[in-house]
Amino acid sequence: LTSGGDPSGVWRTFHLRVSMILAVWAGLSILFQKLSTSERWRVSACFGWGTLDAALLFVVLFFLADGAASPLVVGYPLLIVGSGLWFRVRFVWYMTALSIVSYSVLVADFYHWRPELMVQFDTDFDRHVVFVAALLVEAMIVGYLVQRLRTLSGYLGGGKL
């Protein structure tokens, strides 16, 4: 949808649809922000919010953009880095798993369901393997940093993160 045809009409439609998804995301983010301030709902809000972020990125990539051929796949590393801000190692790995699973669906879409995406894009499978490996390495680094920060916080008497 983002390539070919009348550029102004295609881009206008694409940006309108993405803007509508971002409006939904913003509204639901307000709800998750409220829930995250409650001791009872903090962990659920964390995982719910992360799931929302991953799901909406997938929706944009799969239904609106060019899937695995889109430069918007840069959102997956951002999801992993952002997950570290919750200071939960398990959440970092949860977001990594969501990112890899949804990227894998995009790769299947690239090769099997929308082969027209391969026309002007590198079709070597190793690029996807390298991308997933980079996501895993990034998750290890972010997870390690979160673990270190939690340890230092406890050691220095900073309380719970």
Side-chain angles (χ1 to χ4, degrees), residues 29-81:
S29 292
I30 292 169
L31 170 68
F32 283 117
Q33 178 62 41
K34 292 280 188 195
L35 290 172
S36 71
T37 60
S38 163
E39 190 65 38
R40 179 178 180 194
W41 295 104
R42 181 171 290 140
V43 174
S44 297
C46 168
F47 282 87
W49 203 344
T51 303
L52 172 72
D53 290 346
L56 291 181
L57 175 60
F58 176 78
V59 165
V60 168
L61 286 166
F62 190 82
F63 294 105
L64 302 179
D66 291 334
S70 172
L72 294 177
V73 296
V74 73
Y76 289 119
L78 295 175
L79 288 177
I80 294 169
V81 169

Side-chain angles (χ1 to χ4, degrees), residues 89-152:
V89 175
R90 287 183 183 177
F91 184 60
V92 171
W93 285 107
Y94 174 75
M95 291 304 295
T96 303
L98 281 180
S99 296
I100 290 172
V101 167
S102 65
Y103 183 73
S104 298
V105 172
L106 295 175
V107 170
D109 173 54
F110 179 78
Y111 288 108
H112 301 292
W113 303 317
R114 289 193 292 172
E116 67 272 10
L117 296 176
M118 292 191 285
V119 172
Q120 295 181 339
F121 197 74
D122 178 17
T123 59
D124 292 336
F125 190 75
D126 63 339
R127 65 178 296 278
H128 305 294
V129 173
V130 169
F131 186 75
V132 169
L135 293 178
L136 289 169
V137 169
E138 180 183 30
M140 286 188 268
I141 293 167
V142 172
Y144 176 75
L145 289 174
V146 168
Q147 179 185 12
R148 294 290 297 157
L149 284 171
R150 291 181 67 88
T151 301
L152 287 172

